Amino acid sequence: MARAPTQLQALARRLGTAAPRARRVLTVLAVVVATVGGGTAALAVHDRTARLSVGEIRMSLSPGHRGALDLYVPLVDWGVRYAAIRLPARLEVDLRTVDRDAARRVAEAGRLDAHEVQAEARDALAGYLRGSILIAVLAGALTGLLVALAVRSRNGPRLRWTASLAAGTAVAGGILLVVLLPPRGALDRPQYYAFGPDIPRALSVLSDAQRSAGVLDQELDAQLVGLARLVVDPARRTSLGGARRLTVASDLHNNVLALPILGRITDGGPLLFAGDLTDRGSPLESNLLERVVHLGRPFVFVTGNHDSDLLARALARRGALVLGRFGPLGRDGRPRPGSRRDPTVEVGGVRVAGYGDPFVRLRSEGYRDRYDDGGPSAEDQQAFADWLRPLRGRVDVVMVHEPAMLGIALRELEADPPRRPLVFVVGHTHAAELDRPGDRVTVLNGGSVGAGGTGNLAGDPTAVGIARLLYDAGRRERFRPLAADLVSVDPGTGSSTARRERLDVPVERDDDAPAATTATAPAPAPGER
């Protein structure tokens, strides 16, 4: 019995020793958190307005976002985003006003002194960043000092230590901002975005741009009064003015509501449709969708796993270019004479071939779903690679519905790169993607133009997706892909994003990262195939 009080006394002594230690740790944490929080809050509330020769810009920072530089124009509701900041913060530059005289000079002369404006913008941005970093350091140090004063106690760390901790944390944060906050590297991968009440308005910029000299960036240059030229040097790249273009779409899934949008984007030009025009390929759907052949001149089609042999023949009779492993179908539903030796067709100066989906639905089997959830087998992939091998050097664009069909072929192209550019147009995944396994190989997926279609309304929300391929092709210039535009629109809100990937520049590779491959792309959920 005498030992129990002794044990209790020892426990009390240990608790008495631990309590001050815990208090000191909590005091240090409170000072550090307050310093970081004060500096972050200062970054969020600090903004600056600068006057340039072309107008007035407002600069601000939004911590907590994926690092990016945003240039936005509220007047036209369009912006451009560059992933050029390594800090988790978004540096936003909004064009608030446009100088009337500057706009008149641009309209009359048709050009802008981009170097002068670029220097003005760079100085304004550098001044804003310097001021933001200084304010963040001072605000963080002051907030940390106030917390150190508030939590000081007789048993806690001394005030001079906590004050030094606040100052040191603020200075370390300032150094981190100096290293990570300013935009770094080439701003060469813009992502365009907009907010609109409906799909037609969100996509109307593409329709307008098609009537101009170029697509997307030329239209935005005009709207932003040269703002995009503040950060992009056009002399470094081949001009896209006058470039030829192909519209790329897939996975309509019987959603006839999307046909006017598709017609507007194509605007009478060539349309490459990479499968899944329908849900079952039944006669009813074929009658409803045969009018799609008039949306492209020509309308080029390969079957998907939701299409049927009946649909393919019906489209061929109406004048569509229905491509398969044995070449285009004639109006009688059979491959054209001689196409087994050369299954390619010329579309807009480009040699195009197509490979029908191995899971296409058959009329003789009642249009049942033949799709295997495991995707194309190794035998299917090998058959495609064998079919493609003799076409290398003679074909520019190859259309295939499912990206996984490319597995073996892409590995062969990686081991033995082609001498001429080769573009694969695919679909099936309902996700807009662009993959470049090599400098001369591109895999382009426009997403789902039908937003998942009437057969997938119960699945996850799917964006409307359309792509466009810009290229050179002529007597002197063989097929040379220049850029790809990928447009995605939320059908519920009308919010849209558009990004451009240049294809006439070498692929940037991380030596430590494995080579990209489309063969392992995940298949969509069963309700979204």
Side-chain angles (χ1 to χ4, degrees), residues 205-212 214 245 264-267 468:
V205 67
L206 288 179
S207 177
D208 296 337
Q210 189 167 8
R211 290 190 291 269
S212 66
R245 61 188 67 90
R264 179 186 301 177
I265 300 304
T266 306
D267 195 23
R468 178 170 288 158

Side-chain angles (χ1 to χ4, degrees), residues 246-249 262 266 269-273 292 295-301:
L246 296 170
T247 302
V248 173
L262 187 56
T266 306
L271 171 60
L272 307 185
F273 199 96
V292 79
L295 297 180
R297 297 183 181 175
F299 177 80
V300 189
F301 176 76

Side-chain angles (χ1 to χ4, degrees), residues 40-399:
T40 302
L43 287 176
V45 300
H46 177 242
D47 61 66
R48 178 182 295 181
T49 299
R51 185 75 184 178
L52 308 182
S53 60
V54 295
E56 190 177 76
I57 61 173
R58 176 181 174 271
M59 297 165 286
S60 60
L61 279 164
S62 297
H65 295 278
R66 186 176 181 180
L69 168 63
D70 271 22
L71 305 176
Y72 181 67
V73 182
L75 179 64
V76 296
D77 197 18
W78 269 93
V80 60
R81 178 171 297 157
Y82 298 93
I85 294 179
R86 292 173 289 177
L87 194 75
R90 188 169 293 164
L91 176 57
E92 299 175 347
V93 181
D94 296 348
L95 181 63
R96 310 302 296 180
T97 63
V98 176
D99 184 83
R100 183 183 299 272
D101 293 335
R104 178 179 52 80
R105 290 195 302 271
V106 171
E108 293 176 353
R111 58 179 300 175
L112 183 70
D113 190 343
H115 295 290
E116 178 183 351
V117 180
Q118 186 178 28
E120 294 174 357
R122 185 186 296 112
D123 292 343
L125 196 58
Y128 168 70
L129 291 178
R130 286 194 296 266
S132 297
I133 294 172
L134 179 60
I135 291 174
V137 171
L138 294 178
L142 180 59
T143 306
L145 180 59
L146 291 176
V147 172
L149 288 170
V151 300
R152 65 176 177 169
S153 65
R154 180 178 301 176
N155 296 326
R158 295 184 178 182
L159 180 61
R160 64 173 178 267
W161 294 112
T162 54
S164 300
L165 176 63
T169 303
V171 172
I175 295 174
L176 193 66
L177 291 175
V178 170
V179 174
L180 300 180
L181 183 55
R184 305 285 184 182
L187 304 179
D188 57 355
R189 293 193 175 182
Q191 180 184 32
Y192 302 103
Y193 60 92
F195 305 97
D198 52 63
I199 294 175
R201 179 179 172 219
L203 287 176
S204 63
V205 67
L206 288 179
S207 177
D208 296 337
Q210 189 167 8
R211 290 190 291 269
S212 66
V215 180
L216 283 179
D217 58 350
Q218 286 82 3
E219 173 71 10
L220 285 169
D221 273 347
Q223 292 181 343
L224 304 184
V225 196
L227 185 62
R229 301 177 197 171
L230 305 182
V231 291
V232 179
D233 182 3
R236 295 171 55 193
R237 298 279 180 82
T238 302
S239 173
L240 299 181
R244 306 176 74 170
R245 61 188 67 90
L246 296 170
T247 302
V248 173
S250 68
D251 296 272
L252 183 71
H253 287 288
N254 205 29
N255 186 359
V256 295
L257 298 178
L259 292 182
I261 299 172
L262 187 56
R264 179 186 301 177
I265 300 304
T266 306
D267 195 23
L271 171 60
L272 307 185
F273 199 96
D276 279 3
L277 190 62
T278 60
D279 275 331
R280 299 183 66 245
S282 64
L284 177 60
E285 293 174 302
S286 299
N287 292 334
L288 288 174
L289 293 175
E290 284 181 12
R291 57 179 172 154
V292 79
V293 300
H294 303 295
L295 297 180
R297 297 183 181 175
F299 177 80
V300 189
F301 176 76
V302 292
T303 54
N305 59 288
H306 278 268
D307 301 314
S308 70
D309 53 354
L310 174 71
L311 173 72
R313 291 193 294 268
L315 291 174
R317 284 196 302 269
R318 292 298 183 95
L321 278 175
V322 180
L323 303 182
R325 67 184 72 182
F326 301 122
L329 294 183
R331 292 183 180 270
D332 59 356
R334 298 178 180 179
R336 295 178 182 176
S339 60
R340 288 177 178 267
R341 294 189 302 272
D342 184 9
T344 65
V345 294
E346 184 172 334
V347 177
V350 177
R351 302 298 300 179
V352 182
Y355 196 91
D357 195 86
F359 302 110
V360 64
R361 301 182 183 215
L362 303 175
R363 180 185 182 183
S364 60
E365 298 182 2
Y367 310 104
R368 70 175 181 87
D369 187 0
R370 302 171 59 238
Y371 187 80
D372 182 353
D373 287 338
S377 64
E379 291 76 13
D380 292 328
Q381 296 182 40
Q382 187 62 60
F384 173 77
D386 295 341
W387 171 85
L388 177 65
R389 204 172 295 117
L391 294 179
R392 291 181 54 173
R394 298 193 292 121
V395 66
D396 303 316
V397 175
V398 175
M399 300 174 60

Side-chain angles (χ1 to χ4, degrees), residues 467-480:
R468 178 170 288 158
L469 177 67
L470 286 78
Y471 64 96
D472 279 343
R475 294 180 179 178
R476 296 183 178 179
E477 184 74 38
R478 285 188 167 186
F479 172 69
R480 184 166 69 103

Side-chain angles (χ1 to χ4, degrees), residues 402-403 428-429 433 518-525:
E402 185 163 356
H428 187 69
T429 64
E433 298 179 35
T518 308
T520 57

